[in-house]
Structures are given as C-alpha cells and as structure tokens.
Amino acid sequence: MIKFGAISEQEFLTHYWQKKPLLIKQALPNFISPIPPEELGGLSLEEEFESRLITGSIHQQQWTISQGPFTEKTFENLPKIDWTLLVQGVDRQINEVHDLVKHFDFIPRWRFDDVMISYAAQGGSVGPHFDYYDVFLLQGSGKRRWELSTKFCTLDNYLNDVPLRIMERFIPEQTFEVGPGDVVYIPPKIAHHGVSMSDNCTTLSFGYRSYSAQEMFNNTHTNKSDDQYYQDPIWDGHQTPALIPNSAVQMANKINPISATDFAKFVTKLDTLDRQILQQFEYQQQALKFNANSSYQLHPACKIAYLHTQGDLQVFINGLLINTQMLDSIDLINFCNGRELKANTLSTLAQRLFNLHMLYEI
C-alpha cells in the first residue's frame, strides 16, 4: 500500500479525494518500474497495445500526434527533446503492472479504468489540459515537473487547429517536482501540465473514470441528459475493493433514480477496447482445458463488483449479474476482492467463468 506520510489514508479520503491535489513524496519507497523506458518503446511496436507519440512544447505551440503501432525507425527519427510516448492499458497485458493497482485498493476497484504509461525525452509533454478523471501519477524513472491550476478549466479554453486538447490559457498555481516512487494525486477538472526534466522519464498513470449523467442514465433507459457527473461518497478505506456500498448508490441517485442492480451493471460494463482484449484472450485460450485442481485469476480486463445488503449477495462481472446460488458467501466475497479463486473451492463458478474465457490459470 502507498505511504501517505504526514497524513493518514482516511484523511486523504476525507479531505483530498475528488477535492484537491496532493503530492505524496516516496509513496512507494525504492520503487522500480516493472516497465523500463526501452521496454515501453518495445510495447508500442505491438498491435496489442494502444499507443500514441506526441511531439511539441508550449513554447513553440507546434504539436503533432501519431498513432501506433510504431516501428523501430519511428524512434530513430525522433528529435532529442520534446517528445512523449503514451501506451494505454498496460495493466491489461502485463501482470507486473496490473499488480501495482493493489496499492490503490483503498479506492474501489470498480472505479478504476486503466494504467497508462508515458516515456518522455527531456522537455517531453502533452501540454496543459484537464479532464474528468481522478488520477494517481506515479513516477517510475527520471524526473518530472508538474504544474497544476484550477483556473480557466472550461471547454472553450483550448487551442484551435491543434490535434490535442491543450489549454490556451494556463496559469500554474502549484508546482511539484517528482522522482521515482513519488505520487501526485489530481482530482477531476484540475488542470495539469507535466514536463520531463530528464531523458529517461516514465510516469505510470492510474486513472479512475468519471461517470457522466448522460452516459450512466442512457444505459439505464432514462432520459437524463444533464451535464452532471457522479460524485463519490467519502470512502472508508476498507480493503474491499469490489464492494459497491449503499452510499455509492445513494450518490448516483442524487442525479437520477437508479436501482443498485442497474448501477452495478453499469459500473462493471466493459468498454470497446476491453472487449477486444478479451476476444483476443479467448482465441489464445481456446485449446486449454479446465484444471479442477488448480487456482485461477480473473483476467485484468474483467470488471467485478458485488452488492451485499441484508444478507443478500449479488455478484456482477462485465455488466452481468452472475448466478451464485448455493455458493459460499465468504468464498465469493474473497474472490471478488482478491480476483483469485481455487477451482476446488468454487468449482461450479470457476468452471463457468473459465468456459466464458474470463479466467487464466496461475
């Protein structure tokens, strides 16, 4: 788990989460990224990874963006400074990166989106911008300077004729310089601008998506279209990352009426990229047979959550309510929170999920 230093985990959840930024020095002491810069470049050559290459700086305001997969020649032709490589969803394919998400399980895992990793040369940046995500920015190697601001975070404050969403007006209010193991937390609608201060700068971005009212309630057959976003309750920090507490459902109902079941189906629904990843996984696993004496892990692309109210346990995976009748509740809860199960403990469920290509043997 990450170390908060001068404040407690609960103080962070109460006073910072979705409220204000925080620099956490040496949140992961002696941290060494499982993906060194040169290996990240190698991942961008593969079709399995979604990658982008961005060149430019705010001084010249001349930006270019290109989509991967790339070739080795791409990197041979790059300038020495002012470029950034971004690789999306690395946790879906690299187990060592997926395991890092556990450090942040004081935030429910069903709120988690993915891990994006950037590799930047000296001066590399994607420009000042804001979005509607909560994000933990873990420095993997090298040094980076982060400038943050609450000013001019409006949709009309973007440069025209630029292939990126880069703010036209940006006035820094806070500046943080970070090294390996440092974490910067940034709430939604806080502008941030990260610039590499070295030639080997990698940053791991743990993103937690926001739910717009339009997105959430279109999926549950209502006519809600206001430009509102779901807000989290104050989390209690318990290590039950798959639990959807009643307080979260109540917060969703502040926007528009929604049942706990519909909310659970929505927050575990897969996006297009994750569905593609699981289709590829199905192809890779099709010749394998179920081992009733083995242990299995839920694929990183799968989303799992559960509701536990008045003794009634409901489990949701990838937007579906799973039949768990006659299964032990404690074993089910352990599986949901740990994403692992022994086939001889929950044999019926394990066989079913294996046949649906959601599990892999460990």
Side-chain angles (χ1 to χ4, degrees), residues 14 43 51 80 101 118 122 128 153 182 189 198 207 209 244 254 291 347:
T14 302
L43 296 182
S51 56
K80 291 185 177 181
V101 185
S118 69
Q122 180 90 26
C153 295
D182 295 342
K189 289 199 71 176
S198 61
R209 58 173 297 197
I244 300 177
K254 288 187 175 183
N291 185 348
S347 56

Side-chain angles (χ1 to χ4, degrees), residues 211-219 224-228:
Y211 310 129
S212 70
Q214 184 172 12
E215 177 189 18
M216 183 160 46
F217 293 106
N218 279 352
N219 277 277
K224 192 70 176 179
S225 60
D226 293 346
D227 186 22
Q228 294 177 274

Side-chain angles (χ1 to χ4, degrees), residues 195-229:
V195 179
S196 171
M197 301 172 66
S198 61
D199 286 327
N200 63 336
C201 177
T202 61
T203 305
L204 293 82
S205 173
F206 296 76
Y208 291 76
R209 58 173 297 197
S210 296
Y211 310 129
S212 70
Q214 184 172 12
E215 177 189 18
M216 183 160 46
F217 293 106
N218 279 352
N219 277 277
T220 54
H221 310 293
T222 76
N223 296 319
K224 192 70 176 179
S225 60
D226 293 346
D227 186 22
Q228 294 177 274
Y229 283 82

